[in-house]
Amino acid sequence: MSAAGTDLPLWAALVVSGLLVVGGAIVVIGALGLMRLPSFYQRIHGPAITVTLGAGCLLLASMLYFTVLQQRPVLHEVVITAFILLTAPVVAMMVMRAAVYRDLQTGRRDRGAAAGDVYRFPEEAEPGKPLEGDGRG
């Protein structure tokens, strides 16, 4: 590619720059949430929600930059975006469910899954009666 082909129109440079700044800021906010929040269940929301949005902004900036630069649609980032949007929330949910299962199995009552009386421990159930929400009742 020649050096003359690397000039980006001002409107595209402004939009790409804005998307990069917004996406980077969102990712940093998610990372700060991961560091600063006190419990695992609160910390998992930072990366699960904000990183997906931040990565989407970064991928949109990349798609716009290369589409304008090459003067043809560049859609590789659409596949990456679809993969991130489909996998990141599912992975976060599975990690949270594993943590809930671990807390219930180890009997952690002070925090985590049992802190808000959302889940009941097996020894709290009446004998012969299934627990609420276990799919057997």
Side-chain angles (χ1 to χ4, degrees), residues 43-93:
R43 282 193 306 261
I44 193 69
H45 288 290
I49 296 169
T50 60
V51 171
T52 304
L53 181 61
C57 288
L58 296 175
L59 288 166
L60 276 173
S62 174
M63 188 169 28
L64 179 65
Y65 176 80
F66 287 108
T67 297
V68 170
L69 194 65
Q70 297 177 4
Q71 298 176 350
R72 65 179 178 88
V74 177
L75 301 175
H76 300 96
E77 286 85 355
V78 172
V79 176
I80 298 169
T81 303
F83 181 75
I84 288 174
L85 288 175
L86 291 174
T87 58
V90 173
V91 168
M93 183 185 67

Side-chain angles (χ1 to χ4, degrees), residues 38-41 43 95-96 98-124:
S39 74
F40 170 78
Y41 296 102
R43 282 193 306 261
V95 168
M96 284 186 264
V100 167
Y101 181 75
R102 180 204 59 208
D103 286 349
L104 291 175
Q105 291 299 316
T106 59
R108 291 172 104 182
R109 296 175 188 273
D110 56 340
R111 57 192 164 112
D117 291 329
V118 176
Y119 297 99
R120 293 189 341 190
F121 286 91
E123 63 271 7
E124 294 175 359

